[in-house]
Amino acid sequence: MALLPILQYPDPRLHIVAAPVTRFDEELQRLVRDMAETMYAAPGVGLSATQVDVHRQVIVIDVSDGRDALQVFINPVLLEGWGESGLEEGCLSVPGVYDQVPRYERVRIEARDARGERFELEVDGLMSVCVQHEMDHLKGRVFVEYLSRLKQTRIASRMRKQQRRAG
Ligand code: K1U
Ligand code: ZN
């Protein structure tokens, strides 16, 4: 297994639109294992393939307290959404920034698992917000892009400064 580097905002590769997965092969299983290891190590509750510079529709999520309930979403599709969530979110590509953005409180999702089996799932709370956040990553959208222009400019310049300091 391997820890993968996570792209940091405002890296332009975070805006690449991910392509659907067509082969559920050993290479995909390795990507899923490496993404899970990277998410747990970060630590985070979710991770999209876009964030590790792989532009395929792959998401891993674990919002459980025990960190032992990994969920894999390949080629996810939002079927329906209800209500408004009031949860703040964070992002491993924008460390230190937490804010609330428009999200459904409850969603119904269709996706495939790592073996290619189709499933449907209805989720709410953090799981719902996390799925929507990760699906945005696959479309090349970072959550801070819902915030005001002023906030985005400040966040981008703070991130660039941190990245220069880190070399
Ligand atoms: O996609 C990402 O960048 C991961 C992100 C997912 C997310 C968190 C909260 C709301 C929506 C989406 C994170 O995991 S940020 C880190 C975080 O929230 C967390 C880390 C450890 C324990 C609990 C939460
Ligand atoms: Zn994120």
Side-chain angles (χ1 to χ4, degrees):
M1 293 214 282
L3 284 182
L4 307 170
I6 298 175
L7 297 178
Q8 298 295 293
Y9 183 81
D11 191 311
R13 289 171 291 180
L14 286 168
H15 300 307
I16 298 173
V17 178
V21 170
T22 52
R23 286 210 301 266
F24 292 80
D25 55 8
E26 186 48 44
E27 191 186 338
L28 177 70
Q29 314 307 317
R30 190 177 330 118
L31 173 65
V32 168
R33 282 195 300 269
D34 290 348
M35 284 176 60
E37 191 187 9
T38 304
M39 173 190 75
Y40 287 124
V45 291
L47 190 69
S48 64
T50 304
Q51 291 171 281
V52 294
D53 203 18
V54 176
H55 302 285
R56 293 282 178 272
Q57 294 179 15
V58 180
I59 290 170
V60 293
I61 294 181
D62 188 346
V63 296
S64 71
D65 291 337
R67 313 288 281 150
D68 56 358
L70 182 71
Q71 285 178 279
V72 179
F73 299 83
I74 316 263
N75 302 342
V77 179
L78 177 72
L79 298 175
E80 221 171 334
W82 305 267
E84 274 175 44
S85 166
L87 288 182
E88 274 204 339
E89 50 198 88
C91 182
L92 297 173
S93 296
V94 200
V97 176
Y98 300 89
D99 219 319
Q100 201 184 317
V101 304
R103 300 290 189 201
Y104 294 118
E105 164 57 23
R106 186 174 192 85
V107 289
R108 193 154 60 88
I109 304 286
E110 172 201 314
R112 292 186 184 272
D113 66 18
R115 291 185 178 161
E117 293 295 320
R118 184 188 170 281
F119 64 94
E120 277 187 31
L121 194 64
E122 210 171 290
V123 290
D124 60 11
L126 178 59
M127 181 67 190
S128 165
V129 170
C130 195
V131 174
Q132 293 170 76
H133 175 112
E134 304 307 339
M135 287 179 69
D136 264 358
H137 275 304
L138 300 183
K139 292 176 206 138
R141 186 155 200 191
V142 182
F143 88 111
V144 294
E145 289 158 4
Y146 289 98
L147 305 177
S148 69
R149 277 268 154 227
L150 178 64
K151 277 192 181 178
Q152 287 182 52
T153 308
R154 284 184 178 155
I155 291 165
S157 83
R158 178 152 35 101
M159 292 289 297
R160 284 200 189 93
K161 211 179 282 174
Q162 280 170 13
Q163 286 157 20
R164 274 200 303 276
R165 276 204 211 108

PDB file of all heavy atoms in Angstrom, residues 43-47 51 88-93 126 129-130 133-134 137, ligand 1:
ATOM      1  N   PRO A  43      -5.650  12.936   8.929  1.00  0.00           N
ATOM      2  CA  PRO A  43      -6.793  12.056   8.734  1.00  0.00           C
ATOM      3  C   PRO A  43      -7.952  12.836   8.129  1.00  0.00           C
ATOM      4  O   PRO A  43      -8.106  14.024   8.354  1.00  0.00           O
ATOM      5  CB  PRO A  43      -7.130  11.635  10.170  1.00  0.00           C
ATOM      6  CG  PRO A  43      -6.786  12.842  10.997  1.00  0.00           C
ATOM      7  CD  PRO A  43      -5.664  13.557  10.280  1.00  0.00           C
ATOM      8  N   GLY A  44      -8.779  12.091   7.365  1.00  0.00           N
ATOM      9  CA  GLY A  44      -9.974  12.693   6.786  1.00  0.00           C
ATOM     10  C   GLY A  44     -11.123  11.714   6.861  1.00  0.00           C
ATOM     11  O   GLY A  44     -10.926  10.538   7.209  1.00  0.00           O
ATOM     12  N   VAL A  45     -12.317  12.187   6.508  1.00  0.00           N
ATOM     13  CA  VAL A  45     -13.490  11.310   6.485  1.00  0.00           C
ATOM     14  C   VAL A  45     -13.864  10.934   5.048  1.00  0.00           C
ATOM     15  O   VAL A  45     -14.751  10.119   4.823  1.00  0.00           O
ATOM     16  CB  VAL A  45     -14.699  11.945   7.219  1.00  0.00           C
ATOM     17  CG1 VAL A  45     -14.431  12.002   8.716  1.00  0.00           C
ATOM     18  CG2 VAL A  45     -15.041  13.335   6.687  1.00  0.00           C
ATOM     19  N   GLY A  46     -13.181  11.568   4.077  1.00  0.00           N
ATOM     20  CA  GLY A  46     -13.435  11.254   2.679  1.00  0.00           C
ATOM     21  C   GLY A  46     -12.236  11.630   1.828  1.00  0.00           C
ATOM     22  O   GLY A  46     -11.340  12.359   2.283  1.00  0.00           O
ATOM     23  N   LEU A  47     -12.218  11.118   0.599  1.00  0.00           N
ATOM     24  CA  LEU A  47     -11.158  11.484  -0.358  1.00  0.00           C
ATOM     25  C   LEU A  47     -11.646  11.131  -1.757  1.00  0.00           C
ATOM     26  O   LEU A  47     -12.238  10.067  -1.965  1.00  0.00           O
ATOM     27  CB  LEU A  47      -9.856  10.732  -0.044  1.00  0.00           C
ATOM     28  CG  LEU A  47      -8.609  11.184  -0.810  1.00  0.00           C
ATOM     29  CD1 LEU A  47      -8.152  12.586  -0.360  1.00  0.00           C
ATOM     30  CD2 LEU A  47      -7.453  10.209  -0.629  1.00  0.00           C
ATOM     31  N   GLN A  51      -8.227  14.430  -5.916  1.00  0.00           N
ATOM     32  CA  GLN A  51      -7.289  15.037  -4.959  1.00  0.00           C
ATOM     33  C   GLN A  51      -5.923  14.357  -4.955  1.00  0.00           C
ATOM     34  O   GLN A  51      -4.956  14.935  -4.473  1.00  0.00           O
ATOM     35  CB  GLN A  51      -7.883  15.006  -3.543  1.00  0.00           C
ATOM     36  CG  GLN A  51      -9.073  15.934  -3.379  1.00  0.00           C
ATOM     37  CD  GLN A  51      -9.762  15.719  -2.060  1.00  0.00           C
ATOM     38  OE1 GLN A  51     -10.529  14.782  -1.903  1.00  0.00           O
ATOM     39  NE2 GLN A  51      -9.483  16.565  -1.095  1.00  0.00           N
ATOM     40  N   GLU A  88     -20.824  22.466   8.792  1.00  0.00           N
ATOM     41  CA  GLU A  88     -19.597  23.051   8.233  1.00  0.00           C
ATOM     42  C   GLU A  88     -18.785  21.942   7.603  1.00  0.00           C
ATOM     43  O   GLU A  88     -18.845  20.800   8.046  1.00  0.00           O
ATOM     44  CB  GLU A  88     -18.749  23.646   9.365  1.00  0.00           C
ATOM     45  CG  GLU A  88     -19.124  25.047   9.716  1.00  0.00           C
ATOM     46  CD  GLU A  88     -17.978  25.805  10.371  1.00  0.00           C
ATOM     47  OE1 GLU A  88     -17.057  25.172  10.893  1.00  0.00           O
ATOM     48  OE2 GLU A  88     -18.021  27.040  10.349  1.00  0.00           O
ATOM     49  N   GLU A  89     -18.009  22.257   6.583  1.00  0.00           N
ATOM     50  CA  GLU A  89     -17.131  21.245   6.019  1.00  0.00           C
ATOM     51  C   GLU A  89     -15.693  21.717   5.929  1.00  0.00           C
ATOM     52  O   GLU A  89     -15.420  22.912   6.021  1.00  0.00           O
ATOM     53  CB  GLU A  89     -17.641  20.734   4.664  1.00  0.00           C
ATOM     54  CG  GLU A  89     -18.005  21.760   3.657  1.00  0.00           C
ATOM     55  CD  GLU A  89     -18.888  21.146   2.572  1.00  0.00           C
ATOM     56  OE1 GLU A  89     -20.133  21.125   2.732  1.00  0.00           O
ATOM     57  OE2 GLU A  89     -18.331  20.714   1.571  1.00  0.00           O
ATOM     58  N   GLY A  90     -14.805  20.731   5.817  1.00  0.00           N
ATOM     59  CA  GLY A  90     -13.385  21.012   5.644  1.00  0.00           C
ATOM     60  C   GLY A  90     -12.908  20.286   4.404  1.00  0.00           C
ATOM     61  O   GLY A  90     -13.690  19.583   3.756  1.00  0.00           O
ATOM     62  N   CYS A  91     -11.647  20.445   4.050  1.00  0.00           N
ATOM     63  CA  CYS A  91     -11.127  19.801   2.838  1.00  0.00           C
ATOM     64  C   CYS A  91      -9.632  19.552   3.016  1.00  0.00           C
ATOM     65  O   CYS A  91      -8.895  20.455   3.402  1.00  0.00           O
ATOM     66  CB  CYS A  91     -11.376  20.699   1.626  1.00  0.00           C
ATOM     67  SG  CYS A  91     -10.826  19.962   0.075  1.00  0.00           S
ATOM     68  N   LEU A  92      -9.212  18.324   2.703  1.00  0.00           N
ATOM     69  CA  LEU A  92      -7.788  17.982   2.838  1.00  0.00           C
ATOM     70  C   LEU A  92      -6.943  18.753   1.821  1.00  0.00           C
ATOM     71  O   LEU A  92      -5.730  18.857   1.992  1.00  0.00           O
ATOM     72  CB  LEU A  92      -7.593  16.473   2.668  1.00  0.00           C
ATOM     73  CG  LEU A  92      -8.301  15.615   3.735  1.00  0.00           C
ATOM     74  CD1 LEU A  92      -8.202  14.137   3.388  1.00  0.00           C
ATOM     75  CD2 LEU A  92      -7.715  15.893   5.122  1.00  0.00           C
ATOM     76  N   SER A  93      -7.564  19.310   0.783  1.00  0.00           N
ATOM     77  CA  SER A  93      -6.831  20.110  -0.208  1.00  0.00           C
ATOM     78  C   SER A  93      -6.796  21.587   0.178  1.00  0.00           C
ATOM     79  O   SER A  93      -6.129  22.379  -0.509  1.00  0.00           O
ATOM     80  CB  SER A  93      -7.472  19.959  -1.598  1.00  0.00           C
ATOM     81  OG  SER A  93      -7.359  18.630  -2.028  1.00  0.00           O
ATOM     82  N   LEU A 126     -23.572  14.042   8.182  1.00  0.00           N
ATOM     83  CA  LEU A 126     -22.194  14.184   7.687  1.00  0.00           C
ATOM     84  C   LEU A 126     -21.939  13.337   6.439  1.00  0.00           C
ATOM     85  O   LEU A 126     -21.265  13.765   5.507  1.00  0.00           O
ATOM     86  CB  LEU A 126     -21.203  13.816   8.804  1.00  0.00           C
ATOM     87  CG  LEU A 126     -19.721  13.878   8.429  1.00  0.00           C
ATOM     88  CD1 LEU A 126     -19.313  15.270   7.952  1.00  0.00           C
ATOM     89  CD2 LEU A 126     -18.841  13.438   9.605  1.00  0.00           C
ATOM     90  N   VAL A 129     -23.312  15.162   3.403  1.00  0.00           N
ATOM     91  CA  VAL A 129     -22.493  16.335   3.042  1.00  0.00           C
ATOM     92  C   VAL A 129     -21.161  15.872   2.432  1.00  0.00           C
ATOM     93  O   VAL A 129     -20.677  16.428   1.441  1.00  0.00           O
ATOM     94  CB  VAL A 129     -22.259  17.225   4.291  1.00  0.00           C
ATOM     95  CG1 VAL A 129     -21.237  18.310   4.016  1.00  0.00           C
ATOM     96  CG2 VAL A 129     -23.579  17.849   4.722  1.00  0.00           C
ATOM     97  N   CYS A 130     -20.604  14.810   3.014  1.00  0.00           N
ATOM     98  CA  CYS A 130     -19.314  14.307   2.535  1.00  0.00           C
ATOM     99  C   CYS A 130     -19.444  13.757   1.102  1.00  0.00           C
ATOM    100  O   CYS A 130     -18.609  14.042   0.238  1.00  0.00           O
ATOM    101  CB  CYS A 130     -18.801  13.238   3.504  1.00  0.00           C
ATOM    102  SG  CYS A 130     -17.079  12.867   3.247  1.00  0.00           S
ATOM    103  N   HIS A 133     -19.655  16.681  -1.221  1.00  0.00           N
ATOM    104  CA  HIS A 133     -18.345  17.348  -1.298  1.00  0.00           C
ATOM    105  C   HIS A 133     -17.413  16.559  -2.235  1.00  0.00           C
ATOM    106  O   HIS A 133     -16.745  17.138  -3.109  1.00  0.00           O
ATOM    107  CB  HIS A 133     -17.776  17.419   0.127  1.00  0.00           C
ATOM    108  CG  HIS A 133     -16.399  17.965   0.257  1.00  0.00           C
ATOM    109  ND1 HIS A 133     -16.125  19.164   0.870  1.00  0.00           N
ATOM    110  CD2 HIS A 133     -15.176  17.473  -0.108  1.00  0.00           C
ATOM    111  CE1 HIS A 133     -14.822  19.391   0.849  1.00  0.00           C
ATOM    112  NE2 HIS A 133     -14.225  18.370   0.273  1.00  0.00           N
ATOM    113  N   GLU A 134     -17.389  15.232  -2.070  1.00  0.00           N
ATOM    114  CA  GLU A 134     -16.482  14.410  -2.894  1.00  0.00           C
ATOM    115  C   GLU A 134     -16.956  14.362  -4.347  1.00  0.00           C
ATOM    116  O   GLU A 134     -16.131  14.367  -5.270  1.00  0.00           O
ATOM    117  CB  GLU A 134     -16.376  12.982  -2.331  1.00  0.00           C
ATOM    118  CG  GLU A 134     -15.924  12.878  -0.880  1.00  0.00           C
ATOM    119  CD  GLU A 134     -14.636  13.599  -0.568  1.00  0.00           C
ATOM    120  OE1 GLU A 134     -13.847  13.878  -1.483  1.00  0.00           O
ATOM    121  OE2 GLU A 134     -14.416  13.918   0.624  1.00  0.00           O
ATOM    122  N   HIS A 137     -15.674  17.311  -6.061  1.00  0.00           N
ATOM    123  CA  HIS A 137     -14.260  17.153  -6.465  1.00  0.00           C
ATOM    124  C   HIS A 137     -14.171  16.468  -7.829  1.00  0.00           C
ATOM    125  O   HIS A 137     -13.370  16.861  -8.687  1.00  0.00           O
ATOM    126  CB  HIS A 137     -13.489  16.320  -5.447  1.00  0.00           C
ATOM    127  CG  HIS A 137     -12.940  17.093  -4.276  1.00  0.00           C
ATOM    128  ND1 HIS A 137     -12.100  18.175  -4.433  1.00  0.00           N
ATOM    129  CD2 HIS A 137     -13.079  16.920  -2.935  1.00  0.00           C
ATOM    130  CE1 HIS A 137     -11.753  18.640  -3.221  1.00  0.00           C
ATOM    131  NE2 HIS A 137     -12.337  17.900  -2.308  1.00  0.00           N
TER     132      HIS A 137
HETATM  133  O1  K1U B   1     -12.507  15.667   0.489  1.00  0.00           O
HETATM  134  C1  K1U B   1     -11.808  16.015   1.430  1.00  0.00           C
HETATM  135  O2  K1U B   1     -11.029  16.924   1.288  1.00  0.00           O
HETATM  136  C2  K1U B   1     -11.936  15.318   2.761  1.00  0.00           C
HETATM  137  C3  K1U B   1     -12.795  16.085   3.752  1.00  0.00           C
HETATM  138  C4  K1U B   1     -14.223  15.581   3.635  1.00  0.00           C
HETATM  139  C5  K1U B   1     -15.300  16.352   4.334  1.00  0.00           C
HETATM  140  C6  K1U B   1     -15.258  16.648   5.677  1.00  0.00           C
HETATM  141  C7  K1U B   1     -16.291  17.338   6.289  1.00  0.00           C
HETATM  142  C8  K1U B   1     -17.390  17.695   5.551  1.00  0.00           C
HETATM  143  C9  K1U B   1     -17.429  17.420   4.215  1.00  0.00           C
HETATM  144  C10 K1U B   1     -16.392  16.745   3.595  1.00  0.00           C
HETATM  145  C11 K1U B   1     -12.226  15.848   5.151  1.00  0.00           C
HETATM  146  O3  K1U B   1     -12.175  14.754   5.609  1.00  0.00           O
HETATM  147  S1  K1U B   1     -11.657  17.219   6.014  1.00  0.00           S
HETATM  148  C12 K1U B   1     -11.119  16.528   7.585  1.00  0.00           C
HETATM  149  C13 K1U B   1     -12.245  16.231   8.512  1.00  0.00           C
HETATM  150  O4  K1U B   1     -13.322  16.768   8.368  1.00  0.00           O
HETATM  151  C14 K1U B   1     -12.081  15.264   9.617  1.00  0.00           C
HETATM  152  C15 K1U B   1     -10.878  14.694   9.891  1.00  0.00           C
HETATM  153  C16 K1U B   1     -10.757  13.759  10.925  1.00  0.00           C
HETATM  154  C17 K1U B   1     -11.832  13.421  11.688  1.00  0.00           C
HETATM  155  C18 K1U B   1     -13.043  14.013  11.437  1.00  0.00           C
HETATM  156  C19 K1U B   1     -13.178  14.936  10.398  1.00  0.00           C
END
